[in-house]
Amino acid sequence: EVQLVESGGGLAQPGGSLRLSCAASGFTFSSYNMNWVRQAPGKGLEWVSYISRTSDTIYYADSVRGRFTVSRDNGKSSLYLQMNSLRAEDTAVYYCVREPGAAVTFDIWGQGTVVTVSS
Amino acid sequence: QSALTQPRSVSGSPGQSVTISCTGTSSDVGGYNYVSWYQKHPGKAPKFIIYDVSKWPSGVPDRFSGSKSGYMASLTISGLRADDEADYYCCSYGNNYRWVFGGGTKLTVL
Protein backbone atom coordinates (compact mmCIF):
# COMPACT_ATOMS: atom_id res chain seq x y z
CA GLU A 1 0.00 0.00 0.00
CA VAL A 2 1.27 3.44 -0.94
CA GLN A 3 1.56 5.42 2.27
CA LEU A 4 2.98 8.60 3.75
CA VAL A 5 3.20 8.92 7.53
CA GLU A 6 4.13 12.22 9.15
CA SER A 7 5.57 12.63 12.63
CA GLY A 8 7.30 15.22 14.76
CA GLY A 9 4.46 17.62 15.35
CA GLY A 10 3.70 19.05 18.75
CA LEU A 11 3.74 22.19 20.83
CA ALA A 12 6.46 24.75 20.32
CA GLN A 13 6.99 28.22 21.71
CA PRO A 14 7.14 31.27 19.46
CA GLY A 15 10.68 31.53 18.18
CA GLY A 16 11.22 27.83 18.74
CA SER A 17 11.94 24.96 16.38
CA LEU A 18 10.45 21.65 15.32
CA ARG A 19 11.50 19.03 12.80
CA LEU A 20 8.82 17.15 10.93
CA SER A 21 9.45 13.79 9.30
CA CYS A 22 7.53 11.87 6.68
CA ALA A 23 8.09 8.16 6.13
CA ALA A 24 7.16 6.85 2.71
CA SER A 25 6.33 3.25 1.87
CA GLY A 26 4.80 1.23 -0.93
CA PHE A 27 6.54 3.11 -3.75
CA THR A 28 10.01 4.11 -4.95
CA PHE A 29 10.44 7.31 -2.96
CA SER A 30 13.49 8.46 -4.90
CA SER A 31 11.45 8.65 -8.10
CA TYR A 32 9.06 11.33 -6.88
CA ASN A 33 9.13 15.03 -6.17
CA MET A 34 7.66 15.82 -2.76
CA ASN A 35 5.92 18.72 -1.05
CA TRP A 36 4.69 19.96 2.29
CA VAL A 37 1.21 21.50 2.48
CA ARG A 38 -0.42 22.87 5.63
CA GLN A 39 -3.86 23.81 6.87
CA ALA A 40 -4.27 26.27 9.72
CA PRO A 41 -7.32 25.90 11.98
CA GLY A 42 -10.43 27.05 10.14
CA LYS A 43 -8.40 28.01 7.08
CA GLY A 44 -7.75 26.59 3.64
CA LEU A 45 -4.83 24.60 2.35
CA GLU A 46 -1.50 26.36 1.84
CA TRP A 47 1.44 25.00 -0.10
CA VAL A 48 4.63 25.28 1.97
CA SER A 49 7.58 23.72 0.17
CA TYR A 50 8.75 21.56 -2.75
CA ILE A 51 11.80 19.37 -3.17
CA SER A 52 12.77 17.56 -6.32
CA ARG A 53 13.67 13.87 -6.51
CA THR A 54 17.39 14.53 -6.23
CA SER A 55 17.09 17.57 -3.93
CA ASP A 56 18.61 19.81 -6.60
CA THR A 57 15.53 22.04 -6.82
CA ILE A 58 13.81 23.45 -3.75
CA TYR A 59 11.07 26.06 -3.44
CA TYR A 60 9.35 27.71 -0.49
CA ALA A 61 6.25 29.78 0.05
CA ASP A 62 7.02 33.41 0.90
CA SER A 63 5.48 32.88 4.33
CA VAL A 64 8.15 30.37 5.39
CA ARG A 65 11.19 31.21 3.26
CA GLY A 66 14.27 31.77 5.40
CA ARG A 67 12.74 29.98 8.39
CA PHE A 68 11.89 26.50 7.09
CA THR A 69 14.22 24.03 5.39
CA VAL A 70 13.05 21.01 3.42
CA SER A 71 15.27 17.98 2.88
CA ARG A 72 15.02 14.32 2.03
CA ASP A 73 16.93 11.07 2.48
CA ASN A 74 16.13 8.75 -0.41
CA GLY A 75 18.00 5.91 1.26
CA LYS A 76 15.59 6.11 4.17
CA SER A 77 12.54 6.98 2.02
CA SER A 78 12.00 10.01 4.20
CA LEU A 79 11.12 13.67 3.81
CA TYR A 80 11.85 16.31 6.43
CA LEU A 81 10.84 19.86 7.28
CA GLN A 82 13.02 21.80 9.71
CA MET A 83 10.98 24.66 11.09
CA ASN A 84 12.82 27.47 12.91
CA SER A 85 11.73 30.84 14.27
CA LEU A 86 8.22 29.53 14.61
CA ARG A 87 5.30 31.95 14.77
CA ALA A 88 1.73 31.58 15.97
CA GLU A 89 0.58 31.69 12.35
CA ASP A 90 2.56 28.50 11.65
CA THR A 91 0.03 26.60 13.77
CA ALA A 92 -1.47 24.06 11.37
CA VAL A 93 -1.80 20.47 10.29
CA TYR A 94 1.20 19.72 8.09
CA TYR A 95 0.77 17.23 5.25
CA CYS A 96 3.49 15.38 3.37
CA VAL A 97 2.38 15.16 -0.27
CA ARG A 98 3.63 13.34 -3.34
CA GLU A 99 3.68 14.64 -6.90
CA PRO A 100 3.09 11.86 -9.42
CA GLY A 101 5.67 11.61 -12.11
CA ALA A 102 3.26 11.79 -15.04
CA ALA A 103 1.07 14.68 -13.93
CA VAL A 104 1.33 18.09 -12.29
CA THR A 105 -0.74 17.53 -9.19
CA PHE A 106 -0.64 16.04 -5.70
CA ASP A 107 -1.74 12.42 -5.71
CA ILE A 108 -0.83 10.92 -2.34
CA TRP A 109 -1.28 12.73 0.98
CA GLY A 110 -0.29 11.70 4.47
CA GLN A 111 -2.72 11.97 7.36
CA GLY A 112 -0.94 15.03 8.70
CA THR A 113 0.84 16.05 11.88
CA VAL A 114 -0.34 18.87 14.11
CA VAL A 115 1.96 21.76 14.93
CA THR A 116 0.89 24.24 17.59
CA VAL A 117 2.93 27.37 18.25
CA SER A 118 1.94 28.99 21.51
CA SER A 119 3.44 30.29 24.71
CA GLN B 1 1.01 34.47 -3.34
CA SER B 2 -2.69 35.35 -3.18
CA ALA B 3 -5.06 32.45 -2.80
CA LEU B 4 -7.38 31.55 -5.65
CA THR B 5 -10.95 32.74 -5.10
CA GLN B 6 -13.66 30.19 -4.39
CA PRO B 7 -17.20 30.65 -3.03
CA ARG B 8 -17.29 29.89 0.66
CA SER B 9 -20.24 27.53 0.30
CA VAL B 10 -22.55 25.86 -2.19
CA SER B 11 -25.44 23.49 -1.68
CA GLY B 12 -27.65 21.12 -3.61
CA SER B 13 -30.12 18.32 -3.17
CA PRO B 14 -29.35 14.66 -3.84
CA GLY B 15 -29.34 13.96 -7.56
CA GLN B 16 -28.81 17.58 -8.52
CA SER B 17 -25.67 19.18 -9.94
CA VAL B 18 -23.54 21.91 -8.41
CA THR B 19 -20.64 23.91 -9.80
CA ILE B 20 -17.80 25.40 -7.79
CA SER B 21 -15.79 28.20 -9.35
CA CYS B 22 -12.12 28.99 -8.82
CA THR B 23 -10.79 32.34 -10.02
CA GLY B 24 -7.15 33.16 -10.40
CA THR B 25 -4.92 35.34 -12.56
CA SER B 26 -2.77 35.14 -15.66
CA SER B 27 0.07 33.96 -13.41
CA ASP B 28 -1.69 30.81 -12.31
CA VAL B 29 -5.08 29.55 -13.55
CA GLY B 30 -4.96 31.62 -16.72
CA GLY B 31 -1.37 30.75 -17.53
CA TYR B 32 -1.30 27.00 -17.07
CA ASN B 33 -3.53 23.99 -17.65
CA TYR B 34 -2.47 22.57 -14.30
CA VAL B 35 -5.55 23.05 -12.17
CA SER B 36 -6.38 20.30 -9.68
CA TRP B 37 -9.32 19.81 -7.37
CA TYR B 38 -9.26 18.12 -3.97
CA GLN B 39 -12.04 16.78 -1.79
CA LYS B 40 -11.51 17.00 1.95
CA HIS B 41 -13.70 15.47 4.62
CA PRO B 42 -13.23 16.72 8.20
CA GLY B 43 -10.28 15.11 9.91
CA LYS B 44 -9.22 13.32 6.74
CA ALA B 45 -6.44 13.92 4.26
CA PRO B 46 -7.36 15.62 1.00
CA LYS B 47 -8.15 13.38 -1.98
CA PHE B 48 -7.41 14.49 -5.51
CA ILE B 49 -10.40 14.19 -7.81
CA ILE B 50 -9.41 16.22 -10.89
CA TYR B 51 -6.02 17.14 -12.36
CA ASP B 52 -4.78 18.99 -15.45
CA VAL B 53 -8.08 20.94 -15.44
CA SER B 54 -10.33 18.07 -16.51
CA LYS B 55 -8.66 14.67 -16.10
CA TRP B 56 -9.85 12.00 -13.68
CA PRO B 57 -7.53 9.98 -11.47
CA SER B 58 -8.21 6.27 -11.44
CA GLY B 59 -11.20 5.42 -9.28
CA VAL B 60 -12.85 8.83 -9.34
CA PRO B 61 -16.35 8.71 -10.86
CA ASP B 62 -17.15 10.83 -13.88
CA ARG B 63 -19.83 12.58 -11.81
CA PHE B 64 -16.94 14.93 -11.04
CA SER B 65 -15.85 17.07 -14.00
CA GLY B 66 -13.53 20.01 -14.40
CA SER B 67 -13.20 22.81 -16.90
CA LYS B 68 -11.46 26.13 -17.39
CA SER B 69 -12.13 29.37 -19.25
CA GLY B 70 -9.66 32.20 -19.03
CA TYR B 71 -8.80 32.85 -15.40
CA MET B 72 -11.65 30.72 -14.01
CA ALA B 73 -11.69 27.00 -13.40
CA SER B 74 -14.79 25.09 -12.40
CA LEU B 75 -15.66 21.80 -10.75
CA THR B 76 -19.07 20.33 -11.47
CA ILE B 77 -20.49 17.51 -9.40
CA SER B 78 -23.51 15.83 -10.92
CA GLY B 79 -25.87 13.32 -9.34
CA LEU B 80 -25.12 14.66 -5.86
CA ARG B 81 -24.81 12.09 -3.10
CA ALA B 82 -24.79 12.53 0.65
CA ASP B 83 -21.13 11.49 0.86
CA ASP B 84 -20.15 14.28 -1.55
CA GLU B 85 -20.64 16.65 1.38
CA ALA B 86 -17.12 17.93 2.05
CA ASP B 87 -14.79 20.84 1.50
CA TYR B 88 -13.44 21.26 -2.02
CA TYR B 89 -10.20 23.03 -2.89
CA CYS B 90 -8.85 24.10 -6.23
CA CYS B 91 -5.13 24.40 -6.79
CA SER B 92 -3.08 25.77 -9.66
CA TYR B 93 0.53 25.66 -10.65
CA GLY B 94 1.77 29.25 -10.85
CA ASN B 95 4.72 31.43 -11.78
CA ASN B 96 7.63 31.52 -9.36
CA TYR B 97 5.82 30.13 -6.40
CA ARG B 98 4.92 26.72 -7.69
CA TRP B 99 1.48 26.10 -6.20
CA VAL B 100 -1.45 28.19 -5.01
CA PHE B 101 -4.65 26.89 -3.45
CA GLY B 102 -8.14 28.32 -3.28
CA GLY B 103 -9.70 29.17 0.05
CA GLY B 104 -12.01 26.17 -0.10
CA THR B 105 -15.73 25.68 -0.68
CA LYS B 106 -18.00 23.85 1.71
CA LEU B 107 -20.52 21.69 -0.16
CA THR B 108 -23.72 20.92 1.71
CA VAL B 109 -26.00 18.20 0.41
CA LEU B 110 -29.48 19.18 1.54
Side-chain angles (χ1 to χ4, degrees), chain B residues 28-49:
Chain B
D28 39 64
V29 175
Y32 302 91
N33 288 322
Y34 294 137
V35 177
S36 299
W37 289 89
Y38 301 88
Q39 178 191 62
K40 189 179 185 305
H41 288 101
K44 300 288 189 181
K47 171 188 175 184
F48 86 127
I49 55 175

Side-chain angles (χ1 to χ4, degrees), chain A residues 6-103:
Chain A
E6 302 93 338
S7 61
L11 177 64
Q13 292 195 334
S17 299
L18 279 176
R19 189 192 194 212
L20 306 184
S21 298
C22 170
S25 60
F27 65 99
T28 304
F29 180 71
S30 59
S31 296
Y32 292 86
N33 302 324
M34 298 295 296
N35 293 262
W36 288 97
V37 174
R38 68 184 181 183
Q39 183 175 32
K43 302 290 187 180
L45 298 169
E46 179 190 17
W47 170 77
V48 172
S49 183
Y50 160 92
I51 185 168
S52 63
R53 290 169 291 176
T54 57
S55 304
D56 59 345
T57 302
I58 289 174
Y59 297 108
Y60 298 100
D62 287 347
S63 56
V64 306
R65 188 177 294 114
R67 300 187 299 120
F68 289 11
T69 302
V70 64
S71 62
R72 63 191 295 165
D73 184 334
N74 287 340
K76 295 183 177 179
S77 295
S78 293
L79 177 71
Y80 305 101
L81 187 67
Q82 178 67 44
M83 304 186 297
N84 298 330
S85 303
L86 284 164
R87 305 167 180 168
E89 53 265 36
D90 295 319
T91 295
V93 178
Y94 284 75
Y95 295 99
C96 169
V97 188
R98 189 181 84 168
E99 282 189 30

Side-chain angles (χ1 to χ4, degrees), chain B residues 54-98:
Chain B
S54 60
K55 297 179 181 177
W56 293 280
S58 174
V60 173
D62 59 6
R63 299 187 300 107
F64 295 89
S65 62
S67 63
K68 192 189 88 166
S69 177
Y71 300 164
M72 180 184 291
S74 298
L75 172 72
T76 298
I77 308 171
S78 58
L80 270 179
R81 299 170 25 157
D83 59 357
D84 293 334
E85 185 162 296
D87 293 327
Y88 290 83
Y89 293 89
C90 63
C91 180
S92 175
Y93 182 88
N95 293 349
N96 303 320
Y97 47 85
R98 289 286 296 177

